[in-house]
Amino acid sequence: MFEVVKRDGLARIGKFHTRSGVLETPALLPVVNPKIFTVPPRELYDEFGFRALITNSYIIKNNADLKERALEEGLHKMLDFEGVIMTDSGTFQSHMYGEVEVTNEEMVQFQKDIGTDIGTVLDIFTEPYWTKEETAKSIEVTLERMQVACDMKGEMMINGVVQGSVYPDLREYCAEKMATMDVDVHPIGGVVPLMEQYRYLELVDVIVSSKKGLNPNRPVHLFGAGHPMILALATLLGCDLFDSASYAKFARDDRLMFIDGTFRLADMQSLDCNCPACRGHTLESLKKLTKDQRTKVIARHNLYQITSELALVKRYIREGRLWELVEMRCRAHPALLDALRRIKEHSEFLELTEPISRDGAMFYTGVESRARPLFNRYEKRVMERYVPPTDKAAIFPDSGKPYSRAWAAEFDKVRRSGYTPIVISPFGPVPADLDEIYPLAQSLFPKLTDAETENTADALTFDFIEKMGFVEVKEYDEIDNDGTMEYDADQLRARAISNYQFGIEATNALFRGKIDIVKSRKTGKIRNVISDGEHILSLRAGDGLYTLRAEGAARILASVPSPFMRVVVNDDSVPFVSEGRNAFCQFVLDMDPEIRPMEEVIVVDKNDKFLATGRALLIKKEVESFKKGIAVKVRSGNGDEA
């Protein structure tokens, strides 16, 4: 079983339950050659903290001594490793050396017999140079073998390897078929040649197309990916497990891994590393070691680089800042920068799991930051949901945040002249009434703006002005300041935020009759919205978005048809959710497919009766697939506003 503990878009920290313990993801499985222990498995567990490894059952089966020991002692005792053990089946040997003399059934049974925790089907490794027809035929063979393996696996978990070469549609097809089978882990296979040739751009397409078809409640393993420079990117795209033979392979070739690449010892000018393996060594002392001693030191160095980077990836996930780490890492190599830029083509898919808001600020690290789904989401919503209060626009330059404070006097003057203030920001057009919502106010951009960002912002603003139908547009300092038009900035802001967050139809249901605004005495910001004496909304200080109150939820239910904003739970869950307890995945019957993580939702029973308000943690596809975990963090139930 797999459950998500913390997420940042597609990236997730999870708990993968196996018969040899719970494995926290993202996790890397060091590849252990059963004939050569460059670093003994016991040390991998005790010294480095690896709780899982991968070894090759094909090698064990074809070595008489190893086979006998594995069958007699069991794999865990033979390797002296108490964590989770995954075994490969011989597929990679087939890729490297040609057909292996073993059947799929034999390999599955042998993996069961030696006590493997997670076995692997003998799939067909799809080469990047294969034709689409060749690839399609091989996928059918892999799927047939996969079904046989599922029928045979018993208590052993099984890997359902997604193949498909470089063809996104075949990858998605294979993934969809695998998702219907009794599979426990989904490795993405056939990618080693792409990584060896630095074809990271295509790797992005392969991962995303596979993720589209896979079941979210199973961990995804990127086979053969273990270099620290790729871990953040792959995790961002939704990979949970990795493996590396390179830590030992590179060490035998005197190559050291770092987050910015791999370097030969002979070419290095200094050893600027303070990992436990390198501590106390200089470049000269490392070179003077015997070959065997040097291999062991470098292998340990490589492992420490991997563990350090994985720990950093987890920290950034917890802080909701993984995008920043990925952007920094992808500038280490032009091929990785290509991959980062490729992500923008998949923004629509990534937006599905992009949270509505985050706790911290968004850091803009360059034009590639525009690949983040939050940019596309903002552009779409401001174009579709903003309703200008006047038919004339006053254009302001980006200068200080929030804009309504930086330009307070100027905003007031143009508004009294009948103009709607619009700031041209790095996000594009920002109406004054939206300047405090996430991510507009909670973002940091360099003061020296690059030309591409400026051009994009100008183009988006032009499209926005055209879409809004303004009959007159002027620079703010070109407007006469003798207007007398009356306006209520708080009322305009309150409604504009609601339009942006909930949509125009829901806002019309919420804002009716007499609207009163309650403001903070300390900050002067909006705190609560009262409609006809009823408390309908509260504005969060952190992200400038609303918390939905019970009366507000009731109005939306009465006016906007299902499934809008709804999460429907079964009868067993009704009394608990009504008391303010969280709604769990296994009790959810249905939910609005437009709901995104951290979005305000309304929990209802199967008759559309109001039960509670809260914030969603997962999207519909995830809730439908997970057997454990919170779907909605409930705030209050049945009108009991805590």
Side-chain angles (χ1 to χ4, degrees):
M1 182 178 66
F2 182 64
E3 58 179 309
V4 174
V5 176
K6 183 72 175 179
R7 72 176 310 160
D8 186 1
L10 284 174
R12 41 198 197 174
I13 295 175
K15 290 183 178 180
F16 183 40
H17 297 259
T18 77
R19 62 186 178 185
S20 290
V22 178
L23 180 63
E24 184 181 84
T25 67
L28 182 131
L29 287 63
V31 175
V32 172
N33 187 323
K35 296 192 291 186
I36 308 171
F37 288 173
T38 306
V39 179
R42 171 52 59 183
E43 292 184 25
L44 292 173
Y45 190 93
D46 291 338
E47 180 180 345
F48 294 92
F50 289 108
R51 293 298 178 257
L53 61 76
I54 182 169
T55 192
N56 196 292
S57 62
Y58 178 77
I59 293 175
I60 296 172
K61 190 176 188 301
N62 284 274
N63 182 292
D65 292 338
L66 291 175
K67 179 180 179 181
E68 183 179 353
R69 283 188 60 198
L71 289 171
E72 183 178 335
E73 301 174 1
L75 195 56
H76 289 78
K77 185 176 181 181
M78 185 186 88
L79 296 178
D80 189 23
F81 189 78
E82 60 188 82
V84 180
I85 297 180
M86 179 187 291
T87 49
D88 200 358
S89 59
T91 295
F92 194 68
Q93 280 67 32
S94 175
H95 158 66
M96 292 294 292
Y97 311 116
E99 288 297 321
V100 295
E101 295 180 359
V102 69
T103 67
N104 178 50
E105 289 86 345
E106 289 172 338
M107 287 312 305
V108 173
Q109 187 60 49
F110 181 69
Q111 291 172 88
K112 287 177 60 179
D113 293 342
I114 62 177
T116 294
D117 292 305
I118 308 169
T120 304
V121 65
L122 188 63
D123 55 309
I124 305 296
F125 192 105
T126 53
E127 303 279 4
Y129 60 83
W130 281 9
T131 66
K132 194 168 187 178
E133 184 179 4
E134 286 179 295
T135 303
K137 289 181 179 179
S138 70
I139 287 175
E140 296 305 326
V141 175
T142 290
L143 291 172
E144 290 174 9
R145 293 180 180 181
M146 191 68 249
Q147 187 57 61
V148 171
C150 289
D151 295 339
M152 291 179 61
K153 71 172 189 172
E155 295 183 1
M156 179 181 73
M157 289 182 165
I158 197 76
N159 279 325
V161 186
V162 179
Q163 294 287 355
S165 185
V166 293
Y167 305 104
D169 55 337
L170 294 184
R171 285 279 180 181
E172 187 171 354
Y173 165 78
C174 184
E176 288 174 346
K177 292 295 184 181
M178 290 283 182
T180 65
M181 299 180 181
D182 186 18
V183 170
D184 302 283
V185 181
H186 284 299
I188 300 174
V191 296
V192 170
L194 296 179
M195 290 184 286
E196 289 178 339
Q197 299 166 33
Y198 285 74
R199 295 165 65 177
Y200 296 130
L201 185 150
E202 291 165 284
L203 182 65
V204 168
D205 295 339
V206 165
I207 295 173
V208 172
S209 56
S210 300
K211 287 287 294 186
K212 286 180 178 178
L214 289 176
N215 193 327
N217 74 352
R218 300 167 184 168
V220 175
H221 183 161
L222 189 59
F223 258 161
H227 199 294
M229 69 190 298
I230 197 71
L231 294 177
L233 173 65
T235 302
L236 177 78
L237 297 176
C239 296
D240 307 290
L241 300 173
F242 310 91
D243 66 87
S244 175
S246 298
Y247 76 94
K249 178 182 175 183
F250 287 1
R252 290 191 290 271
D253 196 27
D254 281 351
R255 289 188 286 171
L256 286 79
M257 289 176 167
F258 293 93
I259 57 171
D260 57 344
T262 306
F263 302 91
R264 292 186 181 277
L265 183 62
D267 299 330
M268 294 175 63
Q269 301 301 309
S270 64
L271 184 63
D272 52 342
C273 177
N274 195 39
C275 79
C278 293
R279 202 169 295 147
H281 279 290
T282 64
L283 201 62
E284 291 71 24
S285 68
L286 187 57
K287 289 178 179 179
K288 288 178 181 178
L289 296 176
T290 66
K291 176 65 176 175
D292 185 57
Q293 290 173 331
R294 195 164 60 246
T295 297
K296 290 181 178 179
V297 171
I298 296 176
R300 283 169 168 75
H301 159 86
N302 291 340
L303 287 171
Y304 279 121
Q305 290 291 310
I306 291 169
T307 56
S308 176
E309 181 66 1
L310 267 181
L312 191 64
V313 167
K314 289 180 181 179
R315 175 164 75 84
Y316 272 75
I317 292 174
R318 290 187 177 100
E319 294 174 356
R321 299 194 302 127
L322 187 58
W323 276 100
E324 273 104 36
L325 180 63
V326 171
E327 288 168 12
M328 288 187 284
R329 293 292 184 255
C330 285
R331 289 188 170 85
H333 194 282
L336 281 172
L337 193 56
D338 275 337
L340 182 61
R341 291 171 176 173
R342 184 67 149 208
I343 289 177
K344 191 168 185 178
E345 296 186 16
H346 301 289
S347 185
E348 185 175 344
F349 173 69
L350 296 176
E351 190 274 334
L352 296 175
T353 51
E354 177 70 14
I356 290 296
S357 67
R358 300 171 187 269
D359 292 333
M362 187 220 77
F363 282 48
Y364 188 85
T365 68
V367 295
E368 290 79 20
S369 293
R370 298 200 73 88
R372 301 188 199 183
L374 63 85
F375 280 86
N376 282 358
R377 175 184 290 159
Y378 173 73
E379 291 165 15
K380 182 178 180 181
R381 288 197 177 192
V382 77
M383 293 289 188
E384 296 179 354
R385 299 185 178 186
Y386 182 70
V387 180
T390 70
D391 61 358
K392 296 186 292 185
I395 303 301
F396 287 78
D398 182 59
S399 178
K401 293 180 182 179
Y403 303 128
S404 53
R405 295 189 182 183
W407 294 104
E410 290 81 2
F411 279 4
D412 177 65
K413 290 176 182 178
V414 300
R415 275 180 156 155
R416 290 188 180 280
S417 297
Y419 289 81
T420 297
I422 307 293
V423 177
I424 303 180
S425 81
F427 280 96
V430 176
D433 305 323
L434 296 178
D435 72 325
E436 293 184 358
I437 67 170
Y438 182 88
L440 303 177
Q442 302 79 4
S443 58
L444 291 174
F445 291 82
K447 292 181 179 179
L448 300 178
T449 310
D450 56 272
E452 186 171 343
T453 297
E454 289 184 354
N455 292 338
T456 301
D458 289 342
L460 289 171
T461 303
F462 179 83
D463 291 342
F464 173 78
I465 288 171
E466 188 175 40
K467 179 76 180 294
M468 294 300 108
F470 290 115
V471 297
E472 185 178 319
V473 180
K474 287 185 177 182
E475 298 290 335
Y476 79 99
D477 53 2
E478 296 176 352
I479 298 171
D480 294 331
N481 297 322
D482 57 355
T484 58
M485 178 177 172
E486 293 186 2
Y487 69 95
D488 188 324
D490 293 329
Q491 295 277 351
L492 293 174
R493 178 179 294 275
R495 194 174 187 99
I497 294 172
S498 180
N499 278 336
Y500 179 88
Q501 185 175 355
F502 304 120
I504 296 173
E505 187 176 8
T507 297
N508 289 338
L510 290 166
F511 285 71
R512 69 186 189 204
K514 186 176 183 296
I515 303 297
D516 294 306
I517 305 296
V518 179
K519 299 172 70 174
S520 168
R521 292 181 180 178
K522 288 184 177 181
T523 66
K525 292 183 177 181
I526 296 173
R527 291 185 60 183
N528 301 314
V529 179
I530 312 298
S531 173
D532 280 341
E534 298 283 356
H535 184 184
I536 58 169
L537 298 167
S538 295
L539 198 64
R540 299 190 292 264
D543 61 6
L545 296 172
Y546 285 121
T547 290
L548 185 64
R549 313 303 291 188
E551 172 60 23
R555 293 185 181 189
I556 291 174
L557 291 179
S559 302
V560 188
S562 180
F564 181 77
M565 288 183 68
R566 271 85 152 177
V567 176
V568 186
V569 297
N570 66 16
D571 292 341
D572 292 338
S573 185
V574 167
F576 300 100
V577 173
S578 298
E579 293 173 0
R581 298 187 186 182
N582 294 328
F584 289 86
C585 294
Q586 61 266 41
F587 302 114
V588 173
L589 299 175
D590 196 12
M591 67 185 291
D592 182 357
E594 296 302 314
I595 290 172
R596 302 293 182 257
M598 303 310 295
E599 193 151 42
E600 288 291 307
V601 297
I602 306 169
V603 186
V604 298
D605 66 12
K606 61 186 180 183
N607 296 316
D608 208 34
K609 178 184 176 183
F610 171 73
L611 300 177
T613 59
R615 297 182 80 178
L617 300 185
L618 304 171
I619 65 172
K620 181 176 181 178
K621 184 177 180 180
E622 294 169 330
V623 170
E624 289 174 341
S625 64
F626 279 104
K627 299 176 182 177
K628 189 175 181 180
I630 300 173
V632 178
K633 186 78 171 176
V634 169
R635 182 181 307 107
S636 59
N638 275 352
D640 180 18
E641 300 284 355

